[in-house]
Amino acid sequence: MAEISPNFGDREIMEDVLASQRQMTAEYNAAANQCASSALQSEFMTLLGEEQQIQMELFQEMQKRGWQTVQKAGEQEITAARERFTGTDS
């Protein structure tokens, strides 16, 4: 059987880790939402916060390297999002 030897660079590795972090935060969030025990929910919320911090640090490092870009929203997009999530008109 041939040995698989992928030659991943830093970018590919960081993209994979970022995708994994996003999945982990989604799973911890779902687990916290479904807890019957407040103590267990608190633990999941702590883990969720830690994973989100790791995700943010990784994202910021990728931004520094030019591997993640964020497009700034225009005023109309900001207003539309505000109305969508608050249910109010400005």
Side-chain angles (χ1 to χ4, degrees), residues 16-27:
D16 186 60
V17 172
L18 183 59
S20 295
Q21 284 303 126
R22 288 177 175 158
Q23 183 64 40
M24 288 297 297
T25 59
E27 296 298 330

Side-chain angles (χ1 to χ4, degrees), residues 57-71:
E57 291 170 7
L58 181 60
F59 182 83
Q60 289 171 338
E61 181 59 33
M62 292 178 76
Q63 273 189 308
K64 287 180 195 173
R65 296 178 185 208
W67 299 338
Q68 289 286 329
T69 58
V70 177
Q71 182 179 357

Side-chain angles (χ1 to χ4, degrees), residues 70-88:
V70 177
Q71 182 179 357
K72 292 190 177 199
E75 193 60 41
Q76 282 184 315
E77 294 166 311
I78 293 170
T79 300
R82 181 181 299 121
E83 290 171 0
R84 179 175 169 214
F85 290 108
T86 62
T88 60

